[in-house]
Amino acid sequence: YKNRRTGLFKVQNLALMAAEFSTKNNSRLERIHQKFKNSVENGKFYEASQMTKTLYFRYKSQKKYEDAEYILYDSVIILLEHNQHESAFDLGRLLVKLYTETKKNISDESLEKICKILSLSSKSSESRNDYISEALSWSSQEGYKYGHPQLHSVIANKYWQEKDYHSARKHFSYTNDGCQCAMFLIEYHILSGFPGEIDLFVTQAVLQFLCLRNQPTANTTFINYTSNHPGIHRTNYPYKQPLLNFIAFLLLIIEKGNVEQYAILCEHYQPSIHKDPTYSQYLDKIGQIFFGIPPPKKEKSGIFGLLDNLMESMFSTESSEETEKMAVVAEEVD
């Protein structure tokens, strides 16, 4: 009984010591944080930034990664709120580097911090592109080869807000938000495209999503684009534009069809597919992913290579079936 009581007393003491240490640690961080804020308020931005860097490297060397993260993130946000974007992204890149070097897993909290920094940014910052690139590289884990879709979504929406449609479009391709992507494409076409290109904007997006094996977002983007675009306003085929009919049937065949139907579809819509030379390349990839079609031969790339491979795939299947039949007949004769 006495031993148990002594053990319990030790545990309680350890808990009190831990709580006291945590309180002291938090108080120390708060004092440092206040000193940083005072420097910022007095316009001493360089001094504030250097103070944060010094503390960051000290905490990092002591493996106090949570303290290092805390001091970096808070400093970045305060600097951004005072329009000190270059200094902020200088520290922001250190935060991403900390996540990378400590192999910090993607969590809602860490992703939210990375996205929050980006949402407060300005396009005038020269370091923002480096920050974006490094953040995407860090988030390229857990199956996200090209970076986390949520991060791409924040980046895309930021560029959209700044009317940088080209950059926004690139990042929307890696998101899972088909509704937002469709609304973006509608605005992009209305403000930057010609009336005759109404089908081109969504076609490229859908084909890119399919090449990235993102069939759900491809479907959502197409449905929302065609039903909400003032020049289309249809929830189902047939559409006035043959290319839109092609995409509608393509999505349907990928979901419920087979390689023969895919071959017929591509052959029937060749004139529409030729509107953009990249479509054939996308369709080569889509055929490989969803229908097991072999890659096109080097001397015949594009739609003709695709059709040749489709026919070859179909005939090889028929040939295989014929061989099996012959084998059965041979066995019966024996």
Side-chain angles (χ1 to χ4, degrees):
Y1 174 76
K2 187 182 287 185
N3 288 339
R4 286 175 59 191
R5 190 174 178 182
T6 304
L8 181 61
F9 180 72
K10 286 181 178 179
V11 170
Q12 288 174 338
N13 271 350
L14 286 171
L16 287 170
M17 288 170 64
E20 185 180 351
F21 175 78
S22 178
T23 302
K24 286 181 179 179
N25 192 45
N26 289 337
S27 299
R28 187 182 76 254
L29 283 172
E30 285 301 324
R31 286 198 304 273
I32 294 167
H33 186 54
Q34 188 57 50
K35 192 175 180 181
F36 171 85
K37 288 173 73 174
N38 290 339
S39 295
V40 170
E41 294 298 334
N42 292 324
K44 299 177 181 178
F45 302 114
Y46 179 77
E47 178 185 299
S49 180
Q50 291 304 113
M51 186 192 308
T52 298
K53 281 186 178 181
T54 302
L55 288 168
Y56 160 71
F57 286 115
R58 182 187 302 169
Y59 288 143
K60 186 183 173 188
S61 66
Q62 296 170 352
K63 296 186 178 180
K64 295 179 178 178
Y65 300 132
E66 288 186 6
D67 290 348
E69 179 183 356
Y70 171 85
I71 200 73
L72 277 177
Y73 176 69
D74 267 35
S75 298
V76 171
I77 297 301
I78 291 170
L79 286 169
L80 285 172
E81 289 172 347
H82 285 77
N83 294 317
Q84 299 301 306
H85 295 276
E86 292 305 320
S87 296
F89 276 113
D90 188 29
L91 298 179
R93 292 176 67 189
L94 284 179
L95 179 64
V96 175
K97 188 176 181 181
L98 177 67
Y99 285 170
T100 303
E101 291 181 352
T102 58
K103 294 181 170 56
K104 188 177 182 70
N105 291 329
I106 297 172
S107 65
D108 291 341
E109 183 185 0
S110 58
L111 201 57
E112 185 180 345
K113 287 179 178 178
I114 295 295
C115 292
K116 174 72 172 178
I117 291 170
L118 187 60
S119 67
L120 294 174
S121 70
S122 165
K123 63 180 178 181
S124 62
S125 172
E126 295 179 4
S127 302
R128 188 174 72 170
N129 286 341
D130 293 326
Y131 173 81
I132 288 173
S133 177
E134 290 160 13
L136 285 171
S137 179
W138 163 73
S139 73
S140 300
Q141 51 178 296
E142 299 177 12
Y144 301 117
K145 182 179 178 181
Y146 302 102
H148 199 284
Q150 187 178 329
L151 180 53
H152 274 293
S153 183
V154 171
I155 297 168
N157 278 284
K158 187 65 180 178
Y159 281 131
W160 183 10
Q161 179 187 342
E162 295 169 354
K163 305 302 179 186
D164 183 352
Y165 292 111
H166 177 74
S167 298
R169 183 178 193 167
K170 181 176 70 174
H171 287 283
F172 266 119
S173 298
Y174 298 102
T175 71
N176 292 330
D177 193 344
C179 294
Q180 276 287 87
C181 183
M183 296 303 106
F184 160 74
L185 289 171
I186 290 170
E187 181 180 312
Y188 189 15
H189 171 252
I190 291 172
L191 296 181
S192 304
F194 295 102
E197 296 175 332
I198 194 170
D199 51 349
L200 304 184
F201 279 69
V202 70
T203 295
Q204 185 181 39
V206 169
L207 294 178
Q208 287 174 343
F209 280 127
L210 292 174
C211 286
L212 292 168
R213 303 172 189 268
N214 195 346
Q215 186 182 349
T217 308
N219 276 293
T220 307
T221 300
F222 183 73
I223 291 167
N224 279 275
Y225 183 89
T226 52
S227 59
N228 288 290
H229 197 299
I232 303 173
H233 265 319
R234 285 192 66 85
T235 56
N236 209 340
Y237 57 83
Y239 301 98
K240 291 180 181 179
Q241 298 79 10
L243 196 55
L244 294 182
N245 288 318
F246 169 73
I247 293 296
F249 288 127
L250 173 64
L251 292 169
L252 189 63
I253 288 172
I254 286 174
E255 185 178 352
K256 300 179 179 179
N258 54 48
V259 67
E260 289 84 1
Q261 292 170 330
Y262 181 64
I264 293 168
L265 180 71
C266 290
E267 187 173 9
H268 181 74
Y269 281 97
Q270 274 193 58
S272 298
I273 293 169
H274 280 305
K275 291 181 78 171
D276 188 323
T278 62
Y279 293 167
S280 297
Q281 297 170 27
Y282 290 140
L283 291 168
D284 283 339
K285 187 68 176 175
I286 290 166
Q288 295 168 43
I289 293 170
F290 294 100
F291 300 102
I293 299 168
K297 296 174 182 177
K298 289 183 179 179
E299 64 271 14
K300 285 189 178 182
S301 60
I303 192 64
F304 295 109
L306 170 66
L307 292 173
D308 280 355
N309 279 287
L310 284 167
M311 297 304 292
E312 186 178 318
S313 176
M314 290 163 61
F315 282 128
S316 65
T317 303
E318 291 174 5
S319 176
S320 176
E321 290 174 353
E322 193 64 33
T323 303
E324 289 176 7
K325 289 178 184 177
M326 291 293 289
V328 171
V329 171
E331 286 178 6
E332 289 176 352
V333 171
D334 289 343

